[in-house]
Each structure stands twice: as C-alpha cells, then as structure tokens.
Amino acid sequence: MPPRPRDDGLSEVVGFVLLLGVIVVALSLYQVYGVPAAGREAEIQHMNAVKDRFVDYKIALDSLWVNNRSGVLLSTAFDLGTGAPATGGRAFAFPILTPAGSGGTVQVREGGASLTIDTGSTNVTIPLGNLTYTSSNNYWVDQTWTYQMGAVFLSQEGGTTVRVGPSIAVAKREDDNITLTVAPISLEGSDMIAGSGPVRIETRMPWSNSSSVEAYDRVNLTIEADNEMAAGAWKRAFGEVRQRAIKEEGVDPSWLSARLNGNTAWLTIQPEGGRKVFLTVYRANYTVTIHNAASLVE
C-alpha cells in the first residue's frame, strides 16, 4: 500500500518563497527610499564642505594682500564628489545597496568679467577672472560655487545669490566726506579638472599694491559680467554694500545707487554739498593652477 501524500515539503517551499518575497520587498523599499536618502545626505554634506572651502579660500586670499605676502604659495584641497561606491557592469552603473557617487568640475578662468573704476578724471578697467566648482549630483540639486574679486556666489536652479560679499567698503568720515575702499583681485590661469576624486588648488600672489588716497566728486564701479545671472548677483552684492553704508556708517541713501542693465551692474557713490569721495584701491594679482591629488599612497 503506497504512503499517503504529505504536505510538509510543500509547506517548506511555500515558506521559503514567502520569506524570499519579504526580502525582495524590503530590498526594493530600501532601494526606492533608503538609497536616495543616504545619497542625498552625503551630497548635502559634500556641498557644505565645498562652501566651507570657498569661504576659506576667500579668507586666505584676502590675508595675502592684506599682509603683503607676495610669492607665498597657498594650497587648498577638497573632493570633487562624494566618492561613494557603486556596483555596475561594463557599460553601465547602478546603485544596489549604496548610493552612486557624485562628481564635479573645478575650473579657473582668467579674463571674462571685468571691473571698471571711473572717477570722472580717470577710467581703469581690470580683468577679474574666476574660480568655479560645478557639481554633478545624483540625489541633490546641482550647485555652482564661484569665487570672483573677493566675493563668493552660489548658483542653482536658475538663480544666483551672494554668500560672501566682495572687498568693497563705503564709510562716512568725521568731516562728512566719504571713503571708498576697493580691492580688485585678479585671477590668472586656465585649467580644469572633472571627476570625483580629490583636487589641489595652488594659488600664488606675484604682486600687490595700493594706490594713494585721492579725492573725487564721484566714483562709479562697473562690473561687466559673463551673463545676466552673474550681473544680477553683482547688483545684489552692490546693494549689500549700499545698505551696509547706510545702516552702519550713516551715509545718506541718496548718495549711493546700485543699478543693473543686462550683463552690467553699477555702484555709484556721489555725495552732494561739495563733499568728496576719498578712494583707495588695493590691487592684487594671483596665479592659480589645479592638480589632481592622490587619494592613496602606494
């Protein structure tokens, strides 16, 4: 007499299939929600680190011309991307349990935007150049950080804001005249590196000088930017200089104006009643090079 069929083996198979299904669902949920959240957090932290590097870079370059340290080499290092691991095949890559690593591009470019200082009797145009970092994020909004003439700008999703103001100061003297101090910082170099690894930015100040203090009836600062977005950012930077002079230094609001037209932004200082603008210009020139930095020592 043959043995009766038993359900023990079938129950084990069904249980294994159900367990496998639970594991697949859990992994799918983690891929959909957990991996992007981890990647987004890593990229946010990396963008904050890039911001800190650009602020440190501005402070370091200012310290060189303030202390007249010509010839000193300044080296700044940071990562272009998050460097997170990814699993992939030969022709493509996709995240499994860890977020895909982000990347970025750092570039130095001389010329481009320029600053013109017009005093009515003299007119000087100074090329500025810039240092930029552009992210290639996978989970967070892409950002572009720009250092130009002592200012740090952040651009994202069609807008640009001022994160650190330029080295321009307007103040009121005891005799009710106005002082204007400007530091036109020029960057020279043409280099670019893209990827996700570490880079090193080396900057040297060949020379710097300061002009003698001269008195003028008015002074006009003009920025010819690369595009309207950058010009708008400079107009906001000039607006901050104006507001600081009014609120903190007691300068008459009618004596300062900030304007924008296309790719051009202006800041005009023109006191009334026979008062003068005492202008001091601190020029500084920097050469910038970009290098790959080794992440491992073999």
Side-chain angles (χ1 to χ4, degrees), residues 50-96:
V50 172
K51 175 200 68 177
D52 293 340
R53 290 296 177 271
F54 269 75
V55 173
D56 292 343
Y57 188 76
K58 180 263 191 310
I59 295 172
L61 263 61
D62 283 354
S63 68
L64 290 182
W65 68 260
V66 167
N67 296 287
N68 195 24
R69 299 296 184 183
S70 59
V72 174
L73 181 67
L74 173 70
S75 185
T76 304
F78 66 93
D79 293 328
L80 293 178
T82 58
T87 301
R90 295 180 178 179
F92 60 93
F94 61 93
I96 299 297

Side-chain angles (χ1 to χ4, degrees), residues 5-160:
R6 299 182 62 184
D7 296 332
D8 293 349
L10 181 61
S11 299
E12 292 178 0
V13 172
V14 172
F16 176 76
V17 172
L18 291 175
L19 179 61
L20 184 61
V22 171
I23 293 175
V24 171
V25 170
L27 289 177
S28 299
L29 289 174
Y30 183 75
Q31 281 185 288
V32 172
Y33 298 104
V35 170
R40 184 165 55 251
E41 181 64 25
E43 290 176 356
I44 290 173
Q45 292 179 1
H46 178 246
M47 290 296 95
N48 288 333
V50 172
K51 175 200 68 177
D52 293 340
R53 290 296 177 271
F54 269 75
V55 173
D56 292 343
Y57 188 76
K58 180 263 191 310
I59 295 172
L61 263 61
D62 283 354
S63 68
L64 290 182
W65 68 260
V66 167
N67 296 287
N68 195 24
R69 299 296 184 183
S70 59
V72 174
L73 181 67
L74 173 70
S75 185
T76 304
F78 66 93
D79 293 328
L80 293 178
T82 58
T87 301
R90 295 180 178 179
F92 60 93
F94 61 93
I96 299 297
L97 295 177
T98 56
S102 65
T105 302
V106 64
Q107 180 180 19
V108 60
R109 186 165 64 94
E110 62 186 38
S114 62
L115 167 70
T116 299
I117 304 175
D118 180 13
T119 63
S121 57
T122 61
N123 190 298
V124 178
T125 298
I126 303 168
L128 300 178
N130 61 58
L131 175 71
T132 62
Y133 167 82
T134 303
S135 68
S136 296
N137 290 330
N138 299 303
Y139 308 97
W140 185 244
V141 61
D142 277 321
Q143 298 182 342
T144 297
W145 289 88
T146 303
Y147 170 89
Q148 188 173 70
M149 204 187 100
V152 177
F153 302 104
L154 168 61
S155 303
Q156 64 182 42
E157 294 185 340
T160 302

